[in-house]
């Protein structure tokens, strides 16, 4: 569990550092930017290794059939993650599509995983995304981006379907079929 907690911290702390340093100094560059990126990448690696190695300690039993809701939330989360990059119509109407995607990802996985390691990983990253949204909202008014072309959102839909299929295939390959509806 130590590696998992360390991984979550190496994700959260560099992100918060960048968020709060920007208030007083220019955006990090050069070696500082590389160090921040290395910390985030190390955090991801440690989260994966730590989650795989963590002992299964049940905290709650997921409700039957939550896998279907998980799949729906993941489809929406992947779309919103893309909407933040594609700059189509959705980005015009939604202030934090990528962070909202992370929150949906977190909720979706907590619906189907009731163990301690899942609470640390998915709950920790979900709480980070909520804190980021609150910090961004407190930092000033939103400069709404212009409406992008609808074709960008349609491209995002296509990309969402492809990425969703790839993620599902990886989960099946790892032995966690996301289409069972109930896990156990």
């Amino acid at each position: 569990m130590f590696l998992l907690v360390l991984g979550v911290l190496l994700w959260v702390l560099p992100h918060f550092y960048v968020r709060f340093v920007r208030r007083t100094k220019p955006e990090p560059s050069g070696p500082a930017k590389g160090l921040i990126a290395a910390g985030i990448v190390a955090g991801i690696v440690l989260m994966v290794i730590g989650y795989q190695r963590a002992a299964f300690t049940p905290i709650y039993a997921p409700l039957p059939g939550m896998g279907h809701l998980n799949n729906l939330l993941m489809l929406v989360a992947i779309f919103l993650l893309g909407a933040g990059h594609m700059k189509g119509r959705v980005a015009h109407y939604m202030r934090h599509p990528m962070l909202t995607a992370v929150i949906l990802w977190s909720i979706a996985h907590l619906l189907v995983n009731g163990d301690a390691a899942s609470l640390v990983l998915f709950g920790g990253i979900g709480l980070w995304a909520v804190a980021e949204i609150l910090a961004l909202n407190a930092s000033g008014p939103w400069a709404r981006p212009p409406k992008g072309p609808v074709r960008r959102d349609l491209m995002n839909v296509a990309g969402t379907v492809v990425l969703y299929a790839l993620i599902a295939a990886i989960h099946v390959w790892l032995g966690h079929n996301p289409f069972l509806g109930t896990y156990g």
Side-chain angles (χ1 to χ4, degrees), residues 121-146:
L121 176 60
F122 304 118
I125 299 298
L127 289 174
W128 161 79
V130 169
E132 281 282 335
I133 287 174
L134 293 173
L136 284 167
N137 288 347
S139 68
W142 179 33
R144 185 182 300 271

Side-chain angles (χ1 to χ4, degrees), residues 25-183:
K25 299 178 185 175
E27 188 169 330
S29 62
K33 193 171 188 174
L35 195 59
I36 290 168
I40 291 170
V41 170
I44 292 170
V45 170
L46 287 175
M47 284 187 276
V48 170
I49 293 169
Y51 187 74
Q52 289 176 337
R53 291 184 181 175
F56 183 79
T57 307
I59 304 295
Y60 62 89
L63 296 172
M66 284 293 105
H68 300 304
L69 182 56
N70 170 63
N71 293 339
L72 177 64
L73 290 175
M74 283 306 302
L75 197 59
V76 174
I78 293 168
F79 176 80
L80 290 177
L81 191 64
H85 287 292
M86 294 301 290
K87 307 292 186 221
R89 299 281 171 125
V90 173
H92 173 76
Y93 293 107
M94 190 169 194
R95 185 169 184 180
H96 307 291
M98 296 174 76
L99 289 169
T100 303
V102 172
I103 293 168
L104 287 177
W105 168 84
S106 172
I107 292 168
H109 283 80
L110 288 173
L111 286 173
V112 295
N113 296 290
D115 60 297
S118 294
L119 285 173
V120 169
L121 176 60
F122 304 118
I125 299 298
L127 289 174
W128 161 79
V130 169
E132 281 282 335
I133 287 174
L134 293 173
L136 284 167
N137 288 347
S139 68
W142 179 33
R144 185 182 300 271
K147 287 183 185 178
V150 174
R151 72 175 164 73
R152 288 187 180 172
D153 290 318
L154 294 175
M155 289 169 48
N156 187 24
V157 168
T160 295
V161 171
V162 170
L163 187 56
Y164 183 84
L166 179 64
I167 291 169
I170 291 170
H171 277 73
V172 169
W173 179 65
L174 292 173
H176 305 286
N177 188 339
F179 301 110
L180 296 178
T182 300
Y183 308 111

